[in-house]
């Protein structure tokens, strides 16, 4: 019971705080006022999307991306962006990158008419027989991913298009592009070149340097293309590269950032969860969801534990040497903000929330997230102060709201929307920020603003698109439906009849949620010795008082996934790391 004096103060506080009472009673997502707020924010995001999309179509289409300040265009996907219009290859009319990137966003926002018009134009005009050197990774996630996703949306059972309009034209284009990717994989290692000429293949004296993301984040799009065409060569090429890359990991299950595709040697040993590596982790887990292969799960499980062990410091993730696990760079990069969203899919909600709140703190501090922030010096990187309209924080906010339904994430989304409109909206679209300290603008509206940023914000406030189908989203935000027919088999761990083997004896206490392939929140108290499971890798100590006689009675720490050990005094802890 509360002391009488304390109870009086509590009663008085509520008597004089009707605003607080209204806030508490209206926090439920089912409250009519709350639903109205979400609709208002949804409509605001829809207007943002069309302001960006319409300006692209007026001032930049059919070229790649919009320059909103000058109301002109750039062909940024390839080296063609460095050429003047009169010097472009004969017959080149632009790849319409921002249109391709917008296809699934148009569907999600319910504009089937514009979606149909876009398909007709692409069918009649898009050609890949062009002398253009493109980045394989970017072309894969943006163009191939956009085409494959739109094909699946156009050919599903919802009858979005007029009768007879769609005859697999986007799949035909996707297959043509996929064939042009294949020469990039003709290396001694099977790891693909980072650059390829769409007409002539790999150019003479092409660089052999690529990134972990560049050669390890191709399996979703190329795997989906194989499933749709019945031709296994696309998935086989991507899978061979992924297996080779995984085979190059260190004894700590860490990978570097850059490597040589000819020799298979690492060029940069420092690594983290940001640029150059981020989507590698993302695609391991999402490929497991999409294709059901246990191989992907085993890779991801080992990689995730290694990340938590060697990169995590509280809510932050620094970089470390793949050979030793020792920290190299203490910095936040804006691309790292995708990680909480991935942790939601894993089921590691507590860890996701912890990191997400730190990223949002940085957003509130600067108004947006700077590209790079030096954690050890508590200062901006001197040359990377820009914000190019990146979607990662909105993406993680969407996933966390889906998992928790906590109204706080709606407030985060509203803050992101307000900042984008305040700092980046201009008459000709949405401009990137060159310097977050001055909010000086840069003349570039990246296509991922249409493909991802607006999409994730819209889905945060209105997820009706996902009512009848489960999707995974590629690293460029293109939805791919999770189809039973694409799964090799249902993993045995998911079958309820097999759970008894994990419950027997003391085995349950020694098993993490990741090992069982279930969300921590779904684990019952008897599965973990009556103790709360705090993260996906957490294995509670055998005794609730943390006493022990041997290391076998100690579990795995919830904050960094390190194995705990028994001290001389007989207590479990992280004694080896103090």
């Amino acid at each position: 019971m509360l002391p009488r004096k304390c109870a009086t103060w509590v009663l008085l506080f509520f008597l004089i705080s009707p605003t607080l009472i209204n806030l508490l009673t209206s926090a439920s997502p089912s409250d009519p006022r709350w639903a109205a707020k979400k609709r208002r924010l949804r409509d605001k995001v829809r207007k943002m999307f069309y302001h960006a999309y319409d300006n692209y179509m007026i001032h930049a289409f059919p070229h790649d991306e919009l320059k909103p300040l000058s109301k002109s265009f750039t062909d940024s996907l390839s080296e063609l962006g460095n050429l003047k219009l009169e010097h472009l290859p004969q017959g080149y009319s632009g790849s319409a990158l921002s249109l391709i990137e917008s296809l699934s966003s148009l569907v999600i926002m319910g504009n089937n008419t514009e979606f149909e018009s876009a398909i007709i134009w692409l069918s009649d005009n898009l050609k890949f027989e062009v002398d253009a050197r493109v980045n394989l990774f970017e072309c894969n996630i943006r163009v191939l991913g956009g085409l494959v996703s739109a094909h699946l949306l156009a050919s599903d059972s919802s009858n979005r298009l007029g009768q007879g309009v769609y005859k697999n034209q986007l799949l035909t284009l996707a297959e043509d592009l996929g064939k042009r990717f294949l020469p990039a994989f003709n290396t001694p290692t099977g790891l693909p070149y980072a650059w390829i000429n769409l007409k002539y293949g790999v150019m003479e004296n092409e660089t052999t340097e690529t990134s972990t993301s560049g050669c390890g984040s191709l399996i979703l799009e190329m795997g989906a293309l194989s499933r749709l065409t019945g031709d296994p060569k696309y998935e086989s090429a991507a899978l061979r590269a992924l297996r080779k890359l995984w085979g190059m990991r260190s004894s700590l299950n860490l990978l570097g950032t850059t490597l040589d595709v000819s020799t298979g040697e690492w060029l940069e040993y420092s690594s983290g969860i940001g640029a150059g590596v981020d989507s590698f982790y993302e695609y391991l887990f999402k490929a497991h969801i999409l294709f059901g292969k246990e191989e992907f799960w085993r890779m991801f499980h080992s990689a995730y534990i290694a990340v938590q062990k060697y990169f995590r410091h509280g809510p932050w993730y620094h970089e470390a040497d793949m050979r030793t696990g020792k920290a190299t760079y203490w910095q936040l990069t804006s691309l790292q903000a995708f990680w909480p969203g991935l942790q939601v899919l894993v089921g590691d909600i507590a860890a996701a929330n912890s990191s997400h709140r730190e990223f949002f703190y940085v957003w509130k501090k600067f108004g947006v997230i700077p590209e790079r922030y030096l954690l050890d010096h508590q200062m901006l990187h001197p040359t990377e102060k820009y914000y190019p309209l990146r979607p990662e924080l909105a993406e993680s906010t969407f996933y966390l709201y889906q998992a928790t339904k906590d109204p706080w994430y709606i407030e985060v989304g509203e803050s992101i929307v307000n900042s984008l409109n305040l700092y980046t909206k201009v008459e000709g679209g949405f401009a990137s920020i060159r310097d977050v300290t001055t909010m000086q603008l840069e003349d570039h509206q990246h296509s991922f603003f249409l493909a991802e940023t607006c999409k994730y914000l819209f889905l945060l406030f209105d997820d009706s698109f996902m009512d009848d189908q489960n999707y995974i989203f590629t690293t460029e935000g293109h939805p791919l439906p999770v189809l039973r027919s694409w799964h090799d088999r249902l993993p045995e761990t998911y079958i309820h009849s097999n759970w008894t083997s994990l419950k027997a004896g003391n085995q349950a206490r020694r098993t993490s949620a990741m090992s069982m392939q279930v969300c921590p929140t779904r684990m019952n108290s008897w599965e973990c010795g009556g103790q709360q499971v705090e993260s996906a890798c957490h294995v509670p100590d055998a005794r609730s008082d943390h006493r022990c006689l041997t290391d076998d009675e100690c579990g795995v720490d919830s904050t960094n996934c390190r194995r705990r050990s028994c001290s001389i005094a007989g207590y479990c802890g992280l004694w080896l790391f103090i």
Side-chain angles (χ1 to χ4, degrees), residues 15 18 32 68 74 81 110 115 135 161 252-253 286 306-307 309 361 401 406 429 462-463 467 471 493 553 557:
L15 286 174
T74 175
F115 180 56
N135 183 277
L161 307 179
L252 305 179
N253 286 327
K286 289 183 176 180
V307 166
K309 278 185 178 180
Y361 168 78
Y401 181 69
D406 185 338
D462 183 350
D463 61 4
D467 282 348
Y471 293 91
T493 316
E553 295 178 272
D557 192 78

Side-chain angles (χ1 to χ4, degrees), residues 1 81 90 129 143 204 208 218 259 293 319 328 373 420 433 448 483 494 545 565:
M1 293 179 62
Q90 185 176 4
E129 182 70 15
V143 183
E204 187 177 358
T208 57
L218 306 167
L259 58 140
K293 286 183 181 289
E319 295 183 20
T328 53
Y373 183 78
L420 289 171
I433 295 175
F448 54 68
L483 304 173
Y494 292 157
D545 61 1
S565 60

